[in-house]
Amino acid sequence: MKFSILSTTALLAASSTTVLADEWKCNGSWGDLGLKRYSIKFKGYCEDRYGQCFLDSMRGKALTVHNWQCWQTGDDGWWQADFSVTAGLAWQINNAIQDVTGLWRGCWPNE
């Protein structure tokens, strides 16, 4: 039986599944009385736990998280999480998110 490189490549391409990369992005921040409210969007991370791995990671950084809310947006698999912490601790939020995702975005500088 004869195989060409072209036919073998085409066969492999047809049989392989497409894997979408996990993603997350900053989604703003605003004042929340004496706290600061932050928002992120993500897909591919701890969806089976409704984003709780982000919350766990923030708590692991000794952040007191208030009013955690997380829901699926209906926008192509994206989820959104909104939460409040003491103002000035955005750097710790970034560190907690990086622990979950392995990616640093540097959201909310100087907040």
Side-chain angles (χ1 to χ4, degrees):
M1 194 187 261
K2 234 178 165 179
F3 288 103
S4 73
I5 291 177
L6 186 58
S7 64
T8 304
T9 303
L11 179 62
L12 288 174
S15 64
S16 68
T17 58
T18 303
V19 177
L20 299 176
D22 299 337
E23 299 179 58
W24 82 272
K25 57 188 174 183
C26 315
N27 196 41
S29 65
W30 55 95
D32 185 13
L33 299 176
L35 303 172
K36 189 81 172 185
R37 190 129 181 101
Y38 298 92
S39 181
I40 63 170
K41 287 191 171 183
F42 64 92
K43 63 179 175 179
Y45 297 104
C46 65
E47 294 171 351
D48 59 330
R49 296 184 56 214
Y50 293 82
Q52 288 278 237
C53 56
F54 291 104
L55 178 59
D56 293 345
S57 185
M58 288 178 210
R59 288 178 174 159
K61 299 285 183 199
L63 291 170
T64 302
V65 179
H66 303 273
N67 195 18
W68 171 268
Q69 298 175 321
C70 187
W71 65 95
Q72 194 166 17
T73 66
D75 180 26
D76 195 28
W78 285 91
W79 289 68
Q80 181 171 330
D82 292 356
F83 50 91
S84 298
V85 301
T86 303
L89 296 175
W91 63 279
Q92 278 290 54
I93 297 168
N94 282 307
N95 287 337
I97 294 170
Q98 183 181 19
D99 286 350
V100 173
T101 65
L103 300 171
W104 176 262
R105 295 273 191 267
C107 298
W108 319 291
N110 305 314
E111 291 188 25

